[in-house]
Amino acid sequence: MTNSILRLDASLRETDSYSRKLADDLINELTKQETSRVINRDLANGIPLINSNWIKANVTPFNDRTQAQHDQLALSDQLIEELKSADQLVVALPIYNFGVPATFKAWIDLVSRSKVTFTYTDTGPKGLLTTKKLYIIVTSGGTQLGSELDFISDYLRHIFGFIGLSDITFIDSTRLGKDTAGTLLNAHTQIKEAITDQNRPMI
C-alpha cells in the first residue's frame, strides 16, 4: 500500500528557505521507508482569506447552497480532501513576527469547518479527522521554540488537535540567526530521531 504524505510550505521565500530545505530532508527520509505519494501544497502561491460570502456559504446547509456558494467553498473542500487522504503531514513553518505566516493562518481558516473537520458535542468539541502523524518544522532567526516568546507551539497543538490531529512531532530549527550551522545540525539530528522513533516496533 502506498503511503500518502501531505507537505505544506508556508515560507514566502521560494528559494533559500531553511524550512523548505529541511522539509526536503524530512520528505527524503520518510520516502526511504516505504513507497510514498507526496502531495505538495505551497501556501506561498496564494491562499485567499475567507470573507463574508465564504462565511455565509459555509453556514448554509449543503443542499440549500447556490452554485456560487459551492464555488466559494471549492478550495476549502479541496484542502480538506488533501488532509483526509494523507497518512502523514509535513508542515514547514517559519516564525514571522512571533506568529505563524498569514498564508498558513488562511489555510487553517479554510480547513477548520464545523461538521466537516470538527463538531461540538455535549462533552465539548471533537475533531473529525482521523489520527495522522504530523511533523512540524519550525524555523526562526531568533525566536526560540519553548521560550517565553514562543507563541505558536501551543496554538499549533490546539488548532490541529481541535480538528483531530494530535500526534505531533516538532522539528526545532529556531534561532538560526544565532548559530546557523549548529541549529541545522541539531534539526537534522531531530529528523533522524523522529524517523527512528516512528519505525521502532511497539513492545
Side-chain angles (χ1 to χ4, degrees):
M1 181 178 296
T2 300
N3 181 54
S4 180
I5 302 171
L6 173 60
R7 171 178 174 168
L8 300 177
D9 283 292
S11 174
L12 296 180
R13 298 174 64 188
E14 298 188 50
T15 60
D16 300 321
S17 163
Y18 288 115
S19 65
R20 290 175 183 271
K21 291 176 181 177
L22 289 170
D24 289 340
D25 294 338
L26 178 52
I27 292 290
N28 287 337
E29 291 294 330
L30 289 172
T31 54
K32 284 179 183 177
Q33 312 304 315
E34 54 188 322
T35 303
S36 300
R37 177 176 69 99
V38 180
I39 305 165
N40 292 294
R41 173 61 65 174
D42 192 339
L43 305 183
N45 289 334
I47 293 290
L49 300 177
I50 62 174
N51 55 29
S52 60
N53 289 331
W54 188 96
I55 293 172
K56 184 176 180 179
N58 187 43
V59 299
T60 300
F62 182 88
N63 291 331
D64 295 335
R65 290 172 187 159
T66 65
Q67 184 57 52
Q69 288 178 320
H70 284 295
D71 292 343
Q72 279 280 339
L73 298 173
L75 176 59
S76 172
D77 292 337
Q78 180 182 353
L79 297 177
I80 290 169
E81 186 56 37
E82 290 175 354
L83 266 176
K84 289 181 175 179
S85 66
D87 301 302
Q88 297 172 310
L89 281 75
V90 172
V91 179
L93 192 68
I95 295 176
Y96 287 168
N97 299 316
F98 306 104
V100 298
T103 52
F104 178 78
K105 180 57 169 62
W107 179 85
I108 286 291
D109 289 340
L110 288 170
V111 301
S112 301
R113 285 172 57 187
S114 178
K115 300 179 182 179
V116 181
T117 56
F118 71 90
T119 189
Y120 289 103
T121 70
D122 292 339
T123 57
K126 177 184 177 182
L128 297 178
L129 297 182
T130 56
T131 300
K132 306 168 189 296
K133 182 61 187 178
L134 171 57
Y135 299 93
I136 305 180
I137 298 165
V138 182
T139 60
S140 78
T143 304
Q144 186 172 5
L145 207 64
S147 73
E148 62 181 8
L149 297 179
D150 171 16
F151 303 116
I152 73 166
S153 58
D154 285 344
Y155 167 72
L156 293 169
R157 289 188 185 94
H158 178 80
I159 192 61
F160 277 116
F162 191 76
I163 60 176
L165 307 178
S166 58
D167 186 0
I168 300 175
T169 295
F170 284 94
I171 306 297
D172 184 355
S173 187
T174 53
R175 292 174 62 84
L176 283 160
K178 302 294 184 179
D179 179 10
T180 303
T183 299
L184 292 175
L185 179 61
N186 183 47
H188 286 113
T189 299
Q190 292 174 65
I191 288 173
K192 295 285 188 181
E193 290 175 348
I195 300 300
T196 300
D197 289 342
Q198 174 184 286
N199 295 325
R200 184 174 290 122
M202 298 293 291
I203 298 176

